């Protein structure tokens, strides 16, 4: 991901302390160095997820058959308030461990379930316990952002926990803009400016957030390079141009957009307008923390749309415009740019932090031969091929095993959270939400029937 050296075949990376010291071939390491044999593998920067509701991970897969409206009803209207601080912490703990296991070394915890600062403390404590880099994107869907962002208890939380630069956990404000012409969200943007923290917002979500919100942000001067627009799938040309002009970035959650219906994954629009792209996985209530699936789904969705558009015009696609290299970039340095930490991580560059992922699986037939490393990462490799993960030079995973992680503790905590939530819902509501009803449909009559051939 560093154009200064590109792909280095048979290369070496020398790590000293927390940083990458050298990248090249035939590097000479100190005699006391730990040597990791990466032959037959692919070494890449740690991947970066710019939008995941980590607090929901203990409900892993529960909403696999939900629509977006069913998700909203469950979390926003009915049951999100049932999550205790320890349940939020459990979700974050499990999500952070899962991310590391899949080679994701930096995650944005889009934590919009922080009903109280105690919930915020639990979320933050869990992130600090697990190796990795995190952004606590603080949000509260149970109160208006102009209220909670200016509440004394929230300001005290920020003062206590973010009073000095921290390369492990940073802060964002996470809230959405409704499009109300009174623009009540102005006070939340002003709070972000006062605290000198970025804003991340769901934008271009079908039926929820649209062009009016972008226009109001623009008219009031709150669009700048620090803002991340999550999904950004159903906006007008004017809105995309405003995002591009202000230097904002987009976080595309392709599996979410394809399944939940925020809009068709917008990478084709974002590329057209020159908007920087990063990738994300959204929520463990539907999906995993696996950016391999994000890269694969994103490349497939973009190409599928090009084919569909060409076929509608009676034409054939003869050149793939979006390449495998592009989505690997979005999953690494693209995420670092979106978070403003591309001077720290996102590429194998001397002087940067040693956030590294080695893909190597001597027992996996899909890991040889490696002919096109970018294509291999996107279409061939998977989380089971993650051999080694370093964060700041320290091993978090080695030889396919997590290092220093108490997985059993996370398991017990998740079981406790599930038991609590199941009791809170009651068995009938639990089953109803697990398997939403499908309204009956009348099939289209088919005039063509098969008959016995006549002699």
């Amino acid at each position: 991901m560093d154009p200064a050296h590109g792909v280095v075949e048979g290369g070496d990376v020398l790590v000293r302390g927390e940083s990458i010291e050298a990248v090249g071939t035939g590097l000479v390491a100190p005699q006391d160095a730990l040597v990791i044999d990466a032959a037959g593998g692919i070494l890449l920067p740690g991947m970066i997820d710019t939008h995941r509701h980590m607090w929901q991970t203990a409900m892993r897969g529960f909403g696999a058959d939900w629509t977006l409206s069913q998700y909203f009803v469950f979390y926003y209207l009915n049951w999100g308030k049932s999550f205790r601080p320890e349940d939020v912490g459990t979700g974050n703990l499990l999500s952070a461990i899962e991310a590391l296991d899949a080679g994701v070394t930096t995650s944005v915890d889009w934590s919009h379930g922080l009903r109280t600062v105690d919930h915020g403390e639990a979320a933050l404590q869990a992130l600090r316990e697990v190796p990795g880099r995190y952004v606590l994107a603080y949000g509260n869907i149970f109160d208006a952002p102009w209220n909670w962002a200016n509440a004394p208890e929230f300001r005290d939380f920020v003062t206590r926990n973010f009073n000095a630069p921290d390369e492990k956990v940073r802060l964002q404000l996470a809230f959405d803009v409704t499009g109300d012409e009174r623009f009540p969200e102005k006070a939340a943007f002003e709070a972000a400016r006062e605290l000198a923290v970025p804003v991340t917002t769901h934008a271009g979500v079908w039926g929820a957030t649209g062009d009016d919100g972008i226009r109001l942000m623009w008219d009031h001067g709150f669009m700048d390079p620090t803002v991340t627009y999550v999904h950004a799938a159903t906006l007008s040309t004017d809105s995309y141009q405003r995002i591009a002009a202000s230097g904002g970035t987009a976080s595309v959650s392709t599996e979410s957009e394809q399944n939940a219906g925020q809009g068709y994954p917008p990478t084709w629009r974002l590329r057209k307008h020159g908007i920087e792209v990063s990738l994300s996985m959204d929520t463990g209530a539907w999906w995993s923390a696996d950016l391999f699936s994000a890269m694969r789904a994103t490349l497939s969705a973009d190409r599928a749309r090009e084919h569909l558009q060409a076929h509608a015009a009676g034409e054939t696609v003869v050149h793939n415009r979006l390449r495998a290299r592009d989505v690997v970039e979005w999953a690494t340095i693209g995420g670092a740019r979106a978070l403003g930490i591309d001077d720290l991580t996102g590429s194998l560059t001397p002087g940067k932090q040693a956030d590294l992922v080695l893909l190597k699986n001597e027992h996996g037939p899909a890991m040889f031969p490696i002919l096109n490393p970018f294509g291999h990462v996107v279409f061939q490799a998977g989380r089971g091929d993650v051999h080694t993960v370093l964060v700041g030079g320290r091993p978090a995973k080695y030889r396919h095993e997590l290092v220093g992680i108490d997985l059993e503790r996370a398991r017990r905590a998740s079981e406790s959270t599930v038991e609590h939530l199941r009791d809170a819902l009651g068995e009938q509501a639990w089953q109803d939400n697990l398997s939403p009803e499908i309204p009956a449909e009348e099939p289209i009559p088919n005039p063509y029937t098969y008959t016995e051939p006549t002699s």
Side-chain angles (χ1 to χ4, degrees):
M1 296 296 100
D2 184 342
H5 54 70
V7 175
V8 181
E9 295 189 16
D12 302 321
V13 174
L14 178 61
V15 173
R16 190 184 299 273
E18 297 182 354
S19 303
I20 298 170
E21 183 168 295
V23 177
T25 56
L27 299 182
V28 178
Q31 287 191 346
D32 62 347
L34 168 67
V35 177
I36 298 175
D37 180 9
I42 299 173
L43 189 69
L44 68 154
M47 290 177 275
I48 298 173
D49 184 332
T50 55
H51 154 245
R52 182 151 29 93
H53 306 297
M54 297 172 69
W55 65 284
Q56 299 173 352
T57 305
M59 294 292 283
R60 181 188 304 287
F62 187 82
D65 294 322
W66 284 349
T67 62
L68 188 60
S69 59
Q70 288 165 333
Y71 168 86
F72 286 154
V73 168
F74 185 91
Y75 281 108
Y76 286 56
L77 299 182
N78 288 337
W79 304 112
K81 61 182 179 294
S82 298
F83 282 71
R84 304 165 299 180
E86 56 262 45
D87 303 321
V88 168
T90 294
N92 277 20
L93 180 70
L94 186 58
S95 186
I97 295 171
E98 178 193 9
L100 273 182
D101 188 58
V104 177
T105 57
T106 301
S107 300
V108 174
D109 174 26
W110 223 100
S111 204
H112 59 348
L114 305 184
R115 191 160 52 88
T116 68
V117 292
D118 288 340
H119 289 75
E121 295 285 1
L124 183 58
Q125 179 182 343
L127 298 181
R128 294 199 187 281
E129 288 182 21
V130 183
R133 302 186 197 282
Y134 303 97
V135 176
L136 177 64
Y138 195 108
N140 179 3
I141 56 176
F142 310 105
D143 191 12
W146 50 92
N147 288 333
W148 63 255
N150 290 287
E153 57 269 25
F154 171 69
R155 294 304 183 92
D156 179 61
F157 170 86
V158 174
T159 300
R160 283 185 287 105
N161 292 294
F162 296 95
N163 60 354
D166 185 349
E167 291 184 351
K168 179 173 173 59
V169 184
R170 297 165 187 250
L171 181 67
Q172 289 182 345
L173 295 195
F175 60 88
D176 296 338
V177 182
T178 62
D180 183 336
E181 289 298 327
R182 295 169 296 177
F183 194 48
E185 297 86 2
K186 179 182 178 182
F189 280 106
E190 290 173 339
R193 289 264 173 95
E194 182 184 343
L195 295 169
V197 297
V199 169
T200 176
T201 184
H202 294 106
V205 174
W206 179 260
T209 56
D211 295 312
D212 286 338
I214 299 295
R215 173 177 53 79
L216 290 165
M217 289 175 62
W218 177 270
D219 289 347
H220 289 83
F222 291 113
M223 295 183 74
D224 61 40
T226 69
V227 180
T228 299
Y229 303 86
V230 177
H231 301 305
T234 56
L235 297 171
S236 66
T237 295
D238 194 57
S239 289
Y240 289 117
Q241 288 175 336
R242 285 173 166 163
I243 294 172
S246 63
T249 61
S251 177
V252 176
S253 305
T254 302
E255 287 191 323
S256 181
E257 289 128 25
Q258 288 175 324
N259 284 270
Q262 293 92 340
Y264 197 88
T267 48
W268 60 284
R269 285 192 171 109
L270 301 171
R271 290 189 291 114
K272 182 178 179 180
H273 291 284
I275 297 170
E276 289 273 5
V277 177
S278 63
L279 300 183
S280 58
M281 291 305 300
D282 207 341
T283 172
W286 266 298
W287 307 283
S288 69
D290 182 352
L291 283 187
F292 294 101
S293 64
M295 289 186 282
R296 190 171 302 175
T298 301
L299 191 60
S300 297
D302 194 289
R303 289 178 176 178
R305 185 204 159 272
E306 287 215 358
H307 287 297
L308 188 64
Q309 187 178 44
H311 297 172
E315 300 172 352
T316 297
V317 172
V318 294
H319 298 289
N320 281 323
R321 296 181 181 277
L322 187 64
R323 302 300 175 97
R325 187 194 192 287
D326 297 324
V327 293
V328 177
E329 179 172 330
W330 293 346
T332 53
I333 191 68
R337 292 189 191 113
L339 300 180
I341 58 173
D342 50 311
D343 60 338
L344 184 75
T345 189
S347 65
L348 304 187
T349 301
K352 287 191 179 185
Q353 289 279 292
D355 297 348
L356 311 179
V357 173
L358 172 62
L359 306 181
K360 180 178 178 178
N361 190 347
E362 294 170 334
H363 304 289
M367 281 305 293
F368 63 86
I370 296 173
L371 308 177
N372 176 346
F374 295 112
H376 209 104
V377 168
V378 176
F379 285 125
Q380 309 298 326
R383 63 187 308 148
D385 301 312
V386 176
H387 177 284
T388 296
V389 178
L390 300 184
V391 180
R394 298 182 65 86
K397 187 176 184 180
Y398 183 55
R399 292 181 176 173
H400 302 280
E401 296 288 339
L402 291 165
V403 177
I405 299 292
D406 189 349
L407 202 57
E408 190 55 39
R409 174 174 168 250
R411 189 192 315 276
R412 291 194 303 269
S414 65
E415 288 172 351
S416 174
T417 286
V418 169
E419 181 180 6
H420 161 71
L421 291 173
R422 193 161 190 162
D423 286 345
L425 270 71
E427 194 58 27
Q428 187 61 54
W430 180 273
Q431 294 299 333
D432 289 345
N433 281 280
L434 184 64
S435 301
E437 183 181 0
I438 303 175
E441 274 188 2
E442 287 293 327
I444 298 174
N446 189 342
Y448 298 98
T449 59
Y450 291 96
T451 58
E452 292 294 326
T454 57
S455 57

